Structures are given as C-alpha cells and as structure tokens.
Amino acid sequence: MTRTFPGRVDVAVVGSGPCGAAVTRTLGERAPHLTVAVFEAGPQLTPTPGQHIKTIRDPTERAEAQRRSQGTGPAPDGRSARPGTYLLPDGYRTPGEDGLPAAAMSRNVGGMGAHWTGACPRPGESERIDFLPGLDALLDEAERLLNVRHDAFDDAPFTSVVRERLAVAFDSGRGTDRTVRAMPLAVRREPDGRVVWSGADVVFGEATLAGPRVSLYADAHVRRVRMESGRATGITVRDLVHGGEHEVAARAVVVAADALRTPQLLWASGLRPPALGRHLNDQHQVMHAARLRDVTGPDTVAGGASSGVNWVPYTDAEPFHGQVMQLDASPVPLADGDVPVPGSIVGLGWFCAKDVRAEDRVTFDHTRTDADGMPAPRIHYTLTDKDRTSLEAAHKAIRRAVEALGDPLDPEPITLPPGSSLHYQGTVRMGESDDGTSVCDPDGQVWGTGGVYVAGNGVIPTATACNPTLTSVALAVGAARHIAATLD
C-alpha cells in the first residue's frame, strides 16, 4: 500500500472486488511486463488486502470493519441495510414504480467480496450467454481464481438428508446439470475444521500484489476516465486521505465497480452509449424456513462443518434458483426449552430471474450529486406481470421444498423488498454487436472506444437467477485476456 500515486501505468483498474482482482491477477499471469494500478474508493479492512471479514475473529473488530464499509453518506431514514453495506439515500424509487428500496453497496478494499456468501453456481439454460465462445473455459478459470469447491460442507449434519429430500421434490424432468446438488462455494477448510471464505485476496493471489508491477491504492476515488480521440488516456483520482486530485496516464482503463457505480463513472466521463444504465435487473427473492422431520440425533463428524449448503438450480421451466442452508440457529423464535437437533433448522432462499427490459434503468444528470460529488443515481424499476407470475411460482416451489424437508417455521414464505438480493446486473451489459442494446463487446470493451473496459455483475446480459459472481469473474477474465493480447 502506498500514497504515492503513479504518473503512468499500462492498466488502471477501478474497483478492487473479485472482478477487479480477477483482471489484475490475469494480467499478471498473462502479461507480467505490464504495470497495473488498482484504485479503491473505500478503506482497507484487513492486514491482507481484500480478505473476507469473516477472517476477523474478534466480533468487535469485525463490526468495526463492517461499519467502515458502509460509505460516507448519511444513513437513510426508515430503511436498514445489512451490515457492511449502505443504501441509496434517495432516488431509489420513481413515483408510480416499484423501485429498488433495498439496493445496497459496499465501499472497501475487496468490495462485496469481503461480505458475500461465497455461492458460485454455474448459469444454466437461458441464463447462459449463448454468443460467447469458450464460456465454460472461462467459468473453469473463475472457479480456479475463486478457489471454488463442490464438497466443502458435505460433512455437515443432515446435509445429505436435505439433498435427497429436495431431489425427490425437484429432480424429475431436469437435465443432468440441473439436478439438486451441493452448492459450489468459494471456501477452503483448514485442518482444524475452520472455514476460510474467499475474498478478493484469494482472487488477487499472494504473488500478484507482492509483485513489483502491481500496486493497490485504498481511499482513492476515481472521478473520471480521461479520453482523447475516442481512446482511454488515463484517469482522474481523488486522494481521500490527503486530499487533492491526481492524473494517472494509462493505456487501458477497466471500470470494475458495481452495476450502479460503473455506469455512474462512465456517464461522468462523457461515455454514454445508448444502453448505459439500461436493462437493470435484480433477482426478486423469496425466503422460508423449515425444521427437518424424522431426524432424532446428531449426525456430526468430528471436526466437521456445522452448516451445509445445497442448491436447486435454475431451469427455464422453473425460472428461479434455490439456495438451501442449514442454520446454526432458528430464524424465528422457538418455544422455551425447545433446543433443535444441530443441522435440523433449514433456511431457504429462492431467487427469481427478472423480466429484463430496457425501461428498467439507472439514470444520472448534472442537477443532483451524491455524497462524493458524483452524478447521483435515480432508479426506474418496475415488476411486470411476468415477474409477479414468477414470484407466485417461486412461492409455490419454496413451499414444495419445505413440505419435502419437514415442517415450516413460518406460516408463509416472505417476499423481500426489491434490491435485497444485491445481485444487480445489466447496466453495462455485454452484446454481440453494437446495435444500441449493449454497452460493451464480448471482450468487455465499451463500444466505440479504445482501451475502456467494464467488468462486474453489470456486464451480464442475460436474465439470471443464480448468484452472479462466478459468471462476472469469468467475463472479467475474458476482458483481461483481451487487454493482455492487445497491449502485448
């Protein structure tokens, strides 16, 4: 870490989350001669940059790290964000629309990768990007960078029971890659059983940030991408520690923020392709909980995991994705003296694919600014009849899952407010051709520019229900490989 900003680099990466880390790591492996600087608007939370906050064992220190991730603006009235994130103070709903009242972001080295659940399912059926050659190879590479395992919690109590019961309820008629299975997770297990969740530190890799040609700057807010004759020439960055703005020349710039702040930076930089900010989509989310029936004693392995995670994959016939977790405690109060068998309480989350429309979008203008003085976002977002039908079907499916597992802990499933998934996509979407419906090409380069790339969940062009991180990291790898070949 340093406060001496460079005058010139080959590649400037804006954002230090898993996608910014994937770009940096790939450039280091593919083109080690290139100089790369990563700029992050938020603070460094852990001694190793980008670690997951669950690596902080002291609860007080962990809570402080979460607080430091929660931005610089005032807390919104009447709405609460989960720890480590912050909400849009205004502009989250346009009158007459549903909006995204729960839309949240984090601001720290490692981005949302410091707070996420580590779920890394692969997209299937129409979730896949059919015009992108080599998608599976990119997903394989993303699994390597994220350290994804498919059996991390197979020794958790009753996880096989949960999987078998869900399979009976859901597997009929599904393709072989869409049957119920363990959730792929970005995690490793230490010999003592301790769980270490992958953050951006794992994606960066130890050798990347230790190398002489890569540098990381925390508390460094990028304000503009500088352009000349349609090509990137660098960035303008504000030092949030000592004040002042600096110009950093670069041959390529990768904007790897999130689905709201990436289009914000492009817009502020005068890069405004017709699709910028459009096709915004969230995954509306349904929650339920169950208590396993007919389990009577501990099904534990010495040193084993306490909580299993299973997956009901998306299909076009059932356009939602189920994440099923065995919980350490009941999410609802139990009767006094009722102590459940470990592993017998199960939380279920069903994520629904959005009916993707250009009308759902984030916009910016010069009349409103956010706490950083950047153009403030305004959300235009509406659930369509198709979305409401999907939600109804998800309610039925999650009830079916609970009935297969045991007894419900709540009478009915709960639909969370729009934006709760934190899986916003589409605002800088990838496209096959420059026809006005996408922001970047299949290599992640913004249409009509030279050397301006985008990375992150916002690049995903399809309607997905699965957790998007694996896919967005895969697309970031593809962008980095193109940069390495172009700047060779």
Side-chain angles (χ1 to χ4, degrees), residues 65 70 74 84 124 128 187 198 222 246 300 354-355 380 420 448 452 467:
Q70 291 170 186
R128 292 175 58 85
V187 66
S198 295
V222 175
H246 302 263
T300 59
K354 178 74 172 73
D355 180 17
H380 300 267
S420 297
V452 182
N467 310 66

Side-chain angles (χ1 to χ4, degrees), residues 430-450:
M430 176 182 289
E432 191 172 12
S433 62
D434 186 7
D435 60 1
T437 66
S438 59
V439 172
C440 69
D441 67 17
D443 294 312
Q445 188 165 210
V446 174
W447 294 114
T449 72

Side-chain angles (χ1 to χ4, degrees), residues 3-12 35 37 39 215 217 226 233-237 246-251:
R3 297 316 298 176
T4 304
F5 289 88
R8 177 178 296 275
V9 294
D10 290 308
V11 184
T35 53
F39 299 89
S215 52
Y217 302 88
R226 294 164 51 206
T233 60
I235 60 169
T236 301
V237 57
H246 302 263
E247 306 293 334
V248 180
R251 298 165 65 194

Side-chain angles (χ1 to χ4, degrees), residues 241-265:
V241 176
H242 301 298
E245 292 190 350
H246 302 263
E247 306 293 334
V248 180
R251 298 165 65 194
V253 176
V254 182
V255 185
D258 55 40
L260 300 181
R261 286 175 291 187
T262 292
Q264 179 190 54
L265 179 56

Side-chain angles (χ1 to χ4, degrees), residues 18-19 22 116 118-130 132 134-143 145-146 148 178 283 311 423 425-426 430 442 454-479:
C19 291
W116 70 318
C120 288
R122 290 199 177 208
E125 301 189 7
S126 63
E127 292 181 306
R128 292 175 58 85
I129 306 168
D130 58 9
L132 188 64
L135 176 60
D136 288 313
L138 291 173
L139 291 168
D140 289 342
E141 177 64 0
E143 286 193 342
L145 296 182
L146 287 160
V148 174
R178 299 285 93 190
Q283 297 170 350
W311 173 33
H423 295 168
Q425 300 166 59
M430 176 182 289
V454 285
N457 291 347
V459 176
I460 299 173
T462 53
T464 71
C466 71
N467 310 66
T469 302
L470 184 74
T471 301
S472 59
V473 167
L475 301 182
V477 168

